[in-house]
């Protein structure tokens, strides 16, 4: 039985948002999100905005207004993180605050930049990284990471009984070492993310605006050919492609079959531009 992790709506130029249930996070806030998620908006604790383009922020005013006035748990704080130096987002947030002077919850807004870490729950944290989008546009991608422990390599060839004996003698803390596991990597709107950023990430959520290379006039989004090239150098367990232009509606199933055949060890999902995807 699959456990729900993501609810995603993404249609290039119109609306994009990603809800990640395990940590109650929202990535981008495109229009229509409040109607689509309904009461789920009350569970969201943190919002991360990748950049200031309208299709990624237009739903924020409605989100805050609905959370403040509809019947639900309205007292929970809401934290909004956005790229440092993004004047458009800053002005939009100030406008929203001015139009909602009597919020029932505390609205916290914070600028973040490349390399910043934001604590989550259960040994997890989020890290922002710089992406390349349109010239002059401050844009970020995001990773969810988790601090874990593993057996030190010096003990890796021992049997279970031998390891238990050593733990009883010197303590578990001297047998295990901490490492950081990349759980999810989200590209935002961008050119292909560097493989070293994605490396070892379980799930990659990457934009793929152009399925046909010939349709791309400006180099500010990712194409399917670039995704394939990227997947030749990294090996995530699961890939979710989103932000696809609606001109390719009839090609979605064909693209998924092609990717599955060429990268059989990866689980693929493609967010259809006309649908809400539950993954």
């Amino acid at each position: 039985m699959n456990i729900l992790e993501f609810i995603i709506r993404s249609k290039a130029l119109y609306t994009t948002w990603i809800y990640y249930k395990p940590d109650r996070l929202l990535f981008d806030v495109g229009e229509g999100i409040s109607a689509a998620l309904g009461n789920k908006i009350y569970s969201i604790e943190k919002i991360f905005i990748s950049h200031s383009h309208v299709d990624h922020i237009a739903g924020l005013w409605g989100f805050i207004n609905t959370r403040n006035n509809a019947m639900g748990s309205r007292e929970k704080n809401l934290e909004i993180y956005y790229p440092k130096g993004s004047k458009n987002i800053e002005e939009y947030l100030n406008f929203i605050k001015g139009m909602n002077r009597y919020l029932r919850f505390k609205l916290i807004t914070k600028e973040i930049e490349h390399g910043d870490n934001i604590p989550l729950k259960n040994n997890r944290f989020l890290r922002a990284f710089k992406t390349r989008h349109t010239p002059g546009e401050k844009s970020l991608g995001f990773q969810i990471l988790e601090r874990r422990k593993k057996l030190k390599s010096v003990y890796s060839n021992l049997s279970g009984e031998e390891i238990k004996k050593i733990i009883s003698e010197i303590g578990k803390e001297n047998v295990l070492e901490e490492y950081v596991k990349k759980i999810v990597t989200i590209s935002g709107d961008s050119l292909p993310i560097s493989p070293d950023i994605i490396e070892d990430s379980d799930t990659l959520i990457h934009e793929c605006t152009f399925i046909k290379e010939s349709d791309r006039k400006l180099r500010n989004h990712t194409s399917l050919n670039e995704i394939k090239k990227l997947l030749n150098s990294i090996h995530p367990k699961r890939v979710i492609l989103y932000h696809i232009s609606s001109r390719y509606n009839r090609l979605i199933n064909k693209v998924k079959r092609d990717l599955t055949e060429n990268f059989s060890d990866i689980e693929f999902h493609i967010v259809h531009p006309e649908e809400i995807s539950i993954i």
Side-chain angles (χ1 to χ4, degrees):
M1 178 178 176
N2 292 328
I3 299 174
L4 164 69
E5 292 186 355
F6 302 98
I7 303 177
I8 305 175
R9 175 79 169 97
S10 185
K11 180 178 181 178
L13 293 179
Y14 291 88
T15 183
T16 287
W17 49 264
I18 299 170
Y19 172 52
Y20 181 59
K21 183 179 179 181
D23 287 301
R24 300 180 178 182
L25 307 179
L26 183 65
F27 297 93
D28 289 328
V29 204
E31 66 177 39
I33 184 169
S34 298
L37 288 183
N39 288 337
K40 290 184 179 67
I41 67 171
Y42 297 111
S43 69
I44 293 170
E45 299 173 352
K46 293 178 174 62
I47 295 176
F48 295 90
I49 299 175
S50 64
H51 65 294
S52 70
H53 287 172
V54 173
D55 53 324
H56 293 256
I57 65 172
L60 187 56
W61 186 7
F63 182 99
I64 290 174
N65 184 68
T66 301
R67 198 175 186 268
N68 193 49
N69 293 296
M71 297 304 294
S73 180
R74 295 174 292 200
E75 293 75 26
K76 295 178 182 177
N77 293 349
L78 179 64
E79 300 173 14
I80 300 176
Y81 299 83
Y82 63 97
K84 185 176 182 179
S86 180
K87 297 300 182 184
N88 290 340
I89 295 177
E90 188 174 305
E91 290 178 9
Y92 187 41
L93 287 171
N94 288 334
F95 166 76
I96 291 173
K97 290 175 182 177
M99 297 298 292
N100 295 271
R101 297 183 183 277
Y102 303 103
L103 291 176
R104 302 169 190 257
F105 56 90
K106 187 175 183 181
L107 180 60
I108 303 164
T109 58
K110 297 181 180 180
E111 291 183 314
I112 55 173
E113 57 186 339
H114 177 84
D116 282 352
N117 293 330
I118 294 88
L120 301 176
K121 296 177 179 178
N122 301 321
N123 294 320
R124 289 190 292 274
F125 63 99
L126 180 139
R127 177 175 295 160
F129 60 90
K130 185 178 179 180
T131 59
R132 297 171 296 159
H133 191 25
T134 54
E137 178 71 32
K138 305 287 186 180
S139 61
L140 294 172
F142 306 103
Q143 282 188 321
I144 299 170
L145 306 101
E146 185 175 70
R147 293 182 179 87
R148 296 180 178 178
K149 291 187 177 181
K150 64 180 179 180
L151 195 67
K152 290 182 178 179
S153 58
V154 68
Y155 303 118
S156 60
N157 293 323
L158 300 181
S159 68
E161 288 301 318
E162 289 173 317
I163 292 171
K164 286 181 181 179
K165 183 179 179 181
I166 293 174
I167 289 175
S168 67
E169 293 173 351
I170 64 175
K172 185 182 291 186
E173 66 277 5
N174 294 310
V175 176
L176 302 177
E177 61 184 357
E178 186 174 277
Y179 72 102
V180 174
K181 174 62 181 172
K182 296 174 183 176
I183 307 297
V184 180
T185 301
I186 301 174
S187 73
D189 282 9
S190 71
L191 294 170
I193 304 174
S194 175
D196 64 320
I197 292 176
I198 307 169
E199 184 182 15
D200 297 328
S201 185
D202 281 346
T203 297
L204 169 63
I205 305 179
H206 205 299
E207 78 121 272
C208 185
T209 305
F210 297 104
I211 288 177
K212 294 182 178 179
E213 192 76 35
S214 58
D215 292 331
R216 185 168 63 173
K217 308 305 179 187
L218 299 174
R219 198 165 185 272
N220 55 6
H221 287 285
T222 301
S223 70
L224 180 60
N225 284 343
E226 289 173 323
I227 291 292
K228 291 179 178 179
K229 184 178 179 181
L230 186 61
L231 293 178
N232 283 322
S233 58
I234 59 170
H235 297 87
K237 295 178 182 178
R238 177 169 59 172
V239 171
I240 302 171
L241 299 181
Y242 78 123
H243 203 271
I244 296 170
S245 171
S246 57
R247 75 185 78 182
Y248 306 119
N249 285 353
R250 295 183 179 181
L251 297 179
I252 300 298
N253 291 334
K254 181 180 178 182
V255 169
K256 185 177 180 180
R257 287 196 300 269
D258 176 60
L259 288 170
T260 301
E261 289 173 2
N262 285 281
F263 303 94
S264 58
D265 57 333
I266 300 175
E267 175 189 333
F268 285 97
H269 299 269
I270 300 181
V271 177
H272 196 290
E274 310 302 333
E275 300 172 3
I276 294 175
S277 295
I278 301 175
I279 301 170

